[in-house]
Amino acid sequence: EPEVTQTPSHQVTQMGQEVILRCVPISNHLYFYWYRQILGQKVEFLVSFYNNEISEKSEIFDDQFSVERPDGSNFTLKIRSTKLEDSAMYFCASSEPGNHQPQHFGDGTRLSIL
Amino acid sequence: KQEVTQIPAALSVPEGENLVLNCSFTDSAIYNLQWFRQDPGKGLTSLLLIQSSQREQTSGRLNASLDKSSGRSTLYIAASQPGDSATYLCAVRDNAGNMLTFGGGTRLMVKP
């Protein structure tokens, strides 16, 4: 069964450094998403992306965050200057077009900011 | 703003029991509701998706119901097995956009 794949599985970064999290969505999906889950808290929506632009974003997704689809397969989340509170599990998801399609999630990248 | 709540937060049952997990949401203007399973340190596995026009969906030993007007969904697991031990999350997609709003999850342990 097709899967969403994320790399790396664990990323350790010094505070203030830039980090890029990578995702390969399911190949025929056109909607892409990033969510995060701080340890012990709910999964929170960050951003959705369609047709090479952001379609929706949450209050969390401020100027420090950006997303990109640099080629036909990858979808990336960049955090420009990481803070301690950015430490979380980051999940990528994708879905087929249409309002009634399920979102499929990857295994996540655990980001640890030191 | 949509709020999703799951009760109980944790549940421990002996193997073989039938069980019900509850999910409630505050805004009934939803497109659909999705149930996920999350194993420790892993991603989210989609279990069932119920559209707003549906009352229930079934997959194997799992049955999910939706009462949109009252803002409730239940996940019924029949004949539970130790392999069902995981955290179960519900998430709703509002009419207004693509984002999913998640509940805090129910951590299920099925003892042999």
Side-chain angles (χ1 to χ4, degrees):
Chain A
E1 185 172 327
E3 292 182 337
V4 176
T5 56
Q6 291 186 242
T7 55
S9 56
H10 191 190
Q11 174 81 46
V12 182
T13 302
Q14 292 288 331
M15 186 173 59
Q17 295 296 306
E18 174 182 286
V19 67
I20 297 176
L21 309 182
R22 290 183 167 80
C23 169
V24 179
I26 295 173
S27 62
N28 64 331
H29 288 186
L30 298 180
Y31 284 86
F32 314 115
Y33 313 86
W34 285 101
Y35 292 81
R36 79 173 185 190
Q37 185 177 31
I38 295 170
L39 188 64
Q41 298 187 21
K42 292 182 178 182
V43 176
E44 302 172 288
F45 170 79
L46 294 177
V47 66
S48 62
F49 190 86
Y50 171 72
N51 200 26
N52 279 323
E53 60 183 26
I54 291 173
S55 52
E56 193 175 358
K57 61 181 181 178
S58 71
E59 295 169 351
I60 303 168
F61 194 88
D62 61 22
D63 291 345
Q64 292 299 310
F65 292 88
S66 62
V67 288
E68 194 177 31
R69 189 153 162 81
D71 53 43
S73 59
N74 289 285
F75 179 51
T76 62
L77 174 69
K78 182 193 290 186
I79 308 175
R80 277 182 247 288
S81 178
T82 50
K83 307 178 189 122
L84 293 176
E85 54 264 37
D86 293 328
S87 295
M89 183 76 93
Y90 287 80
F91 293 109
C92 174
S94 68
S95 67
E96 294 182 61
N99 291 327
H100 304 292
Q101 299 296 331
Q103 294 184 19
H104 297 269
F105 283 69
D107 278 348
T109 293
R110 179 168 299 285
L111 178 62
S112 299
I113 307 300
L114 304 179
Chain B
K1 180 185 169 186
Q2 181 74 267
E3 296 284 343
V4 181
T5 304
Q6 292 186 246
I7 294 172
L11 182 64
S12 181
V13 300
E15 183 178 2
E17 260 196 25
N18 303 324
L19 57 100
V20 174
L21 308 181
N22 297 291
C23 172
S24 62
F25 47 95
T26 54
D27 186 347
S28 61
I30 65 169
Y31 266 133
N32 56 50
L33 184 146
Q34 210 167 339
W35 281 95
F36 294 89
R37 169 185 173 136
Q38 185 176 28
D39 291 286
K42 294 288 189 180
L44 310 178
T45 301
S46 180
L47 298 173
L48 289 163
L49 173 78
I50 312 181
Q51 307 297 350
S52 59
S53 57
Q54 296 175 318
R55 297 285 294 186
E56 63 179 65
Q57 277 284 347
T58 298
S59 175
R61 293 182 295 108
L62 304 180
N63 176 277
S65 69
L66 175 65
D67 184 344
K68 197 176 82 156
S69 60
S70 69
R72 293 181 189 172
S73 176
T74 61
L75 180 67
Y76 174 83
I77 302 177
S80 58
Q81 303 170 356
D84 295 331
S85 298
T87 296
Y88 290 81
L89 301 172
C90 74
V92 299
R93 181 179 166 192
D94 293 334
N95 286 345
N98 297 320
M99 62 178 280
L100 293 178
T101 302
F102 281 82
T106 294
R107 192 170 64 254
L108 172 66
M109 175 163 297
V110 181
K111 297 180 178 178

